[in-house]
Amino acid sequence: MQMVDFDSAAFLRDYWQKKPLLIRNPWGNWINPLEPDDLAGLACEEGIESRLVTRKRTKWVLEHGPFPETRFDTMGKAPWTLLVQAVDHHVPDVAALIAPFRFVPNWRIDDVMVSFASDGGGVGPHFDQYDVFLVQGLGRRRWRIGAACDQDTPLLPHDDLRLLADFDATDEWILEPGDMLYVPPGIAHDGVAVGDDCMTYSIGFRAPSRSELVGHWSDHILELLPEDDRYRDGDAQVQDNPGEISPDALAGLHAMMSEALMDRAGFARWFGEYNSMPKYADMDWRPESPVDADDVRSALKSGTPLCRNPASRLSFIRQDVDGLLLFADGRSFACTGASAEFAAILCAQDHVALHADMEASDEVIALIVALCNQGSVAFEDNEEDML
Ligand code: SIN
Ligand code: CO
């Protein structure tokens, strides 16, 4: 599925992280990629995150999946919506919805959540911390958007749902199949199904919070720091007042702390690994028994396509002249020459077409072996596992 007449550079300049944008059917020919029954089926599976939100008059009720299949037989009259997270990990046609948004780097992409609502169903007025493209799949939904919110914005008292206490719409639209609404982080929004069979795809992004970065990076450093790396007095002087922590001592202490935290190369490696950690352990593509270089060579020789696990997170940073550090599902791989070329292609394409020089490279073969054995890629014979 491609978007026609969508200028991604202009979008990034004028709207991304700035203001909402409604785009009426940007697809040449919109085809809803998932049947409602299949979504309900996913919500019954162990290891898939799903929620059911029902609005009973003014009361919002939240249930967590997995649901028994019979749960959807008797839904009652109150408006409800079913939400299933990371559907792209399980349904290739839903994963294909991400492709047009690849103008945003891999490391910022989260997953595709899919909702299905009865007439009047929705999750209530709220704001998210992340950018989202809301693509109307089936049926119609009235979207209203409101003001920018932050941590001080009043919320309704509810244990699980973060619903806005006050919501004043500044704009509203009814989205038809194929229509799309971009909502930046922090902007209040509320989507209500107009009629039954309302299906919405949320292509969601992520951005680490400063507290998450500082917390996890310092946890990582803590694991590396030895006990005997300690403060030492330089040329100690007699102090006028023994109660003072002298400026020299403070400077030394502060330097100890900041030198450890400021390790730029260490941070880059750690961040790439941390950011590429899989969110759900549900898509285990690891082979039953580990593959070796001969297996990979013969799969390549027979022309079997190499595919990325749709749940895998892949990205890289450039290093030295022709090298890069590839991050795949929490691990890093230093690559140069042909393997760097291969890693760059792997990060850019769902189905990886290897050039002849890559197939001839032992380094590339070794990298594919490692990636296969950790389940980040597989030769296409395994693709049915995705479903
Ligand atoms: C929905 O699909 O109903 C909710 C999506 C959202 O508001 O983020
Ligand atoms: Co939202």
Side-chain angles (χ1 to χ4, degrees):
M1 191 85 65
Q2 276 307 322
M3 292 195 283
V4 287
D5 292 336
F6 179 78
D7 182 342
S8 45
F11 172 79
L12 287 179
R13 188 190 60 220
D14 299 334
Y15 295 96
W16 179 247
Q17 306 232 284
K18 297 184 183 83
K19 52 186 180 189
L21 176 66
L22 171 76
I23 308 177
R24 291 285 179 199
N25 206 341
W27 324 91
N29 175 20
W30 171 253
I31 299 166
N32 180 49
L34 180 67
E35 290 305 317
D37 279 352
D38 294 332
L39 184 71
L42 290 172
C44 300
E45 279 185 37
E46 202 67 55
I48 298 186
E49 195 186 324
S50 59
R51 290 166 293 159
L52 190 57
V53 179
T54 311
R55 182 162 54 89
K56 297 189 169 150
R57 293 179 195 277
T58 53
K59 209 170 125 222
W60 296 86
V61 182
L62 171 70
E63 295 164 69
H64 288 282
F67 298 97
E69 273 168 44
T70 49
R71 179 68 188 84
F72 301 108
D73 297 342
T74 48
M75 294 303 286
K77 285 223 163 49
W80 57 270
T81 183
L82 170 70
L83 303 115
V84 183
Q85 220 58 53
V87 176
D88 54 309
H89 294 187
H90 308 278
V91 184
D93 286 346
V94 172
L97 278 183
I98 301 175
F101 303 99
R102 292 275 178 206
F103 60 86
V104 182
N106 293 359
W107 75 271
R108 294 279 273 112
I109 294 177
D110 193 5
D111 61 18
V112 183
M113 182 189 80
V114 187
S115 69
F116 182 77
S118 70
D119 188 19
V123 296
H126 67 281
F127 69 97
D128 300 306
Q129 301 284 359
Y130 309 107
D131 308 81
V132 64
F133 287 98
L134 300 154
V135 179
Q136 191 61 20
L138 275 184
R140 303 162 81 211
R141 184 182 282 276
R142 173 178 289 106
W143 279 105
R144 293 185 302 150
I145 54 162
C149 307
D150 59 26
Q151 58 183 13
D152 300 325
T153 304
L155 300 178
L156 289 178
H158 195 292
D159 290 341
D160 313 294
L161 294 170
R162 293 175 49 81
L163 298 176
L164 297 173
D166 312 297
F167 177 71
D168 293 313
T170 50
D171 252 315
E172 76 168 68
W173 307 275
I174 291 186
L175 271 70
E176 308 270 348
D179 291 348
M180 181 167 95
L181 177 65
Y182 163 71
V183 184
I187 298 291
H189 55 284
D190 186 24
V192 178
V194 180
D196 284 332
D197 295 340
C198 168
M199 204 157 179
T200 304
Y201 297 83
S202 302
I203 293 110
F205 295 81
R206 61 202 177 120
S209 67
R210 195 188 298 259
S211 75
E212 178 191 347
L213 280 181
V214 173
H216 288 265
W217 169 228
S218 13
D219 282 349
H220 173 76
I221 298 171
L222 280 183
E223 283 168 22
L224 307 176
L225 292 177
E227 262 300 291
D228 58 3
D229 180 1
R230 242 156 227 285
Y231 172 80
R232 294 180 70 94
D233 293 311
D235 293 326
Q237 308 282 326
V238 176
Q239 295 191 183
D240 291 345
N241 185 329
E244 182 179 0
I245 304 170
S246 71
D248 282 353
L250 265 182
L253 292 161
H254 188 260
M256 283 177 78
M257 187 271 309
S258 52
E259 279 160 16
L261 285 175
M262 290 304 145
D263 171 6
R264 185 81 166 64
F267 176 79
R269 172 188 288 267
W270 165 80
F271 178 73
E273 291 177 357
Y274 167 74
N275 182 75
S276 75
M277 297 225 279
K279 188 163 156 198
Y280 301 103
D282 54 1
M283 284 297 285
D284 193 349
W285 268 26
R286 281 173 303 175
E288 268 164 33
S289 50
V291 300
D292 62 19
D294 288 340
D295 299 323
V296 167
R297 278 201 191 90
S298 62
L300 289 172
K301 208 161 165 213
S302 67
T304 317
L306 185 63
C307 305
R308 298 195 302 211
N309 181 338
S312 282
R313 298 190 183 278
L314 293 154
S315 51
F316 67 85
I317 52 175
R318 294 198 189 278
Q319 284 192 318
D320 310 323
V321 187
D322 71 339
L324 55 81
L325 200 53
L326 169 70
F327 305 109
D329 299 326
R331 299 216 174 90
S332 57
F333 302 86
C335 306
T336 49
S339 71
E341 249 183 273
F342 165 76
I345 290 179
L346 176 70
C347 289
Q349 297 168 7
D350 293 338
H351 290 77
V352 191
L354 273 80
H355 306 162
D357 60 331
M358 293 177 192
E359 292 194 21
S361 154
D362 288 344
E363 258 189 66
V364 173
I365 302 295
L367 179 55
I368 298 177
V369 168
L371 294 172
C372 280
N373 287 332
Q374 69 169 34
S376 303
V377 299
F379 286 94
E380 193 162 33
D381 291 346
N382 293 5
E383 200 172 6
E384 67 236 23
D385 290 352
M386 287 205 291
L387 289 167

